[in-house]
């Protein structure tokens, strides 16, 4: 970032997304394996959360930087950021799906055939609801 008026570059945002996604994979996998005592279930939780963070965080940071750049949030900087429901909202859904999967593992036990479809259903539901509201 060479000046205060420019937003973060795509390369910088992608690097943040990759680093945060890798950290999420490690942390959520460790939490899932240690608390639920199931390696496949913990790895599935970590994978959903890591992929979700990789998709969501760069989109959200770019959108936040663009709206901070403009006083009213509707100027030229906000137009150059893709506000459409795309990978960013899917990433948010995957993160929330991983949390739902972890919660379901605490309640019902680590059943991958129940947890993974439930986590993906949450991800799709968040994506569909978000795509309705963000596009407005």
């Amino acid at each position: 970032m060479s000046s205060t008026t420019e937003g973060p570059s795509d390369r910088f945002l992608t690097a943040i997304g990759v680093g945060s996604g890798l950290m999420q994979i490690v942390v959520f996998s460790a939490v899932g394996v240690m608390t639920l005592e199931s390696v496949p279930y913990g790895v599935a939780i970590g994978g959903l959360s890591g992929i979700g963070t990789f998709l969501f965080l760069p989109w959200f940071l770019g959108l936040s930087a663009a709206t901070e750049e403009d006083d009213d949030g509707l100027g030229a900087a906000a137009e150059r950021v893709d506000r459409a429901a795309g990978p960013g909202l899917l990433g948010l859904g995957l993160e929330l799906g991983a949390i739902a999967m972890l919660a379901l593992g605490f309640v019902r036990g680590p059943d991958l055939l129940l947890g993974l479809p439930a986590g993906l259903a949450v991800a799709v539901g968040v994506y569909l609801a978000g795509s309705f509201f963000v596009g407005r």
Side-chain angles (χ1 to χ4, degrees):
M1 296 188 322
S2 59
S3 70
T4 58
T5 60
E6 286 185 23
S9 68
D10 288 339
R11 185 174 173 184
F12 178 71
L13 292 175
T14 302
I16 288 176
V18 167
S20 298
L22 290 174
M23 289 175 64
Q24 288 281 79
I25 289 172
V26 170
V27 169
F28 268 77
S29 294
V31 167
V33 169
M34 285 195 262
T35 58
L36 300 173
E37 298 176 351
S38 173
V39 174
Y41 201 79
V43 170
I45 292 170
L48 280 180
S49 178
I51 293 169
T53 300
F54 170 71
L55 294 173
F56 174 69
L57 197 57
W59 176 78
F60 182 71
L61 291 176
L63 187 61
S64 295
T67 54
E68 277 182 18
E69 197 171 304
D70 297 326
D71 293 326
D72 59 354
L74 299 173
E79 288 177 6
R80 81 173 178 241
V81 175
D82 185 19
R83 297 179 77 117
L89 283 175
L90 180 61
L92 176 63
L94 288 172
E95 287 185 50
L96 294 176
I99 293 170
M101 195 173 162
L102 185 63
L104 189 62
F106 285 136
V107 173
R108 303 279 305 216
D111 183 12
L112 199 58
L113 294 176
L114 177 65
L116 196 58
L120 292 175
V122 168
V124 170
V126 168
Y127 176 76
L128 291 175
S131 65
F132 179 74
F133 290 111
V134 170
R136 304 266 173 223

